[in-house]
Amino acid sequence: MTGSVLVTGGLGFIGARLCDALLDEGCDVRCVDDLSGRHTPVTGPAAASALAGRGADVAVERADAAPVRGVDAVIHLAALPGVRTKHPGERLYDTNVALPERLATAARAQRARFVLLSSSSVYGNANLLPTPEDAPPAPLNPYARSKVGAEQAVLACGGDPVIVRPFTVYGPGQRPEMAFARWIRAIEAGAPAPRHAAPGTARDFTYVDDAVAGVVAALRHGRSGEAYNISGWRPVELREALALLEPPGVVELPASPAEAHVTHGCGRKASAELGYAPRVELPDGLERQLAAATPRSIAA
């Protein structure tokens, strides 16, 4: 696919890799990010410089409808993240629901495709594993509820919307507050790794390059009005995942009722309609994330 693509949140963990992938495919990339989140040495300002050097149009500002003019597609990643993070309700709604609604409305007005990056957290503790896209939403926390609201608002706008639900993305450049990044910092400091999880807690981990490939596939091939799971296609217990990093010890902390016990995304629809398949297994992906960690990134 060529053409012009606006990526909001394009300097973050997934967004920066996505912008690179789109540039590799010959797209004209317009990247908007207000740098309000936490970044590593390869995201945020560093990503802004690198992407601008590759020819992307980079704007450090809050996303709004203005940059939508003249593009063929919008990929909306900008959001207040974190199932444990407690944001004021009004701010969470404005950023995670009202903003994508405004952008989707602007995209519809000029017949641009609108890809919304949602979240696997919309499923909560799903009754069916692996969980298909038509499972009823059962969000367990305000962030997940805001993602359900965003999906509903974007679909109600009409036009050409596609929903992408990534499952627990990890890899180099991962946000500092996410589990693997926190565990790697603890290990490098010689400290025990903190684990907030009940026994048997498992996640369907998705390597960042696989997640990016899934988003690009949804942009190219997704059916209008449909949602797609992008995952690693198998759940791994957090105990097993942490053991791959060989921590000097583990500190067990209380589990949060705001988080699902097990996540496992059904990949049939994304495979059949998008041609998506994960390529990086967790041991290899974690090895890459660990190798990319430096004293500077660990201190971020």
Side-chain angles (χ1 to χ4, degrees), residues 27 35 78 119 188:
C27 296
L35 296 180
S119 168
E188 292 295 323

Side-chain angles (χ1 to χ4, degrees), residues 181-198:
R182 289 187 292 109
W183 290 346
I184 290 171
R185 285 200 305 275
I187 291 166
E188 292 295 323
R195 182 168 61 196
H196 297 261

Side-chain angles (χ1 to χ4, degrees), residues 10-12 15-17 20 31 39-53 58:
L11 301 179
R17 299 287 272 254
D20 263 329
C31 169
H39 298 102
T40 70
V42 297
T43 62
S49 177
L51 291 171
V58 179

Side-chain angles (χ1 to χ4, degrees), residues 10-80:
L11 301 179
F13 170 38
I14 300 174
R17 299 287 272 254
L18 174 62
C19 288
D20 263 329
L22 293 169
L23 288 167
D24 288 342
E25 297 204 358
C27 296
D28 292 326
V29 175
R30 189 176 296 174
C31 169
V32 176
D33 195 307
D34 66 1
L35 296 180
S36 61
R38 297 178 65 192
H39 298 102
T40 70
V42 297
T43 62
S49 177
L51 291 171
R54 295 196 61 194
D57 177 7
V58 179
V60 178
E61 60 189 28
R62 192 174 190 272
D64 62 28
V68 176
R69 287 194 292 271
V71 301
D72 300 304
V74 178
I75 306 178
H76 181 61
L77 286 78
L80 290 177

Side-chain angles (χ1 to χ4, degrees), residues 245 282-292:
L245 293 172
L282 183 62
D284 290 339
L286 274 183
E287 185 176 351
R288 296 179 195 182
Q289 183 169 346
L290 189 58

Side-chain angles (χ1 to χ4, degrees), residues 91-157:
R91 185 176 175 223
L92 194 63
Y93 175 84
D94 182 59
T95 303
N96 289 10
V97 182
L99 174 59
E101 182 178 29
R102 290 195 299 272
L103 293 172
T105 300
R108 180 199 64 200
Q110 60 177 42
R111 299 181 180 179
R113 164 147 284 199
F114 189 86
V115 179
L116 172 70
L117 213 72
S118 183
S119 168
S120 62
S121 66
V122 300
Y123 297 121
N125 283 311
N127 291 325
L128 183 60
L129 297 172
T131 308
E133 287 85 349
D134 60 0
L140 298 173
N141 55 73
Y143 167 78
R145 287 192 288 274
S146 75
K147 285 297 187 179
V148 173
E151 290 189 12
Q152 294 171 342
V154 165
L155 293 175
C157 287

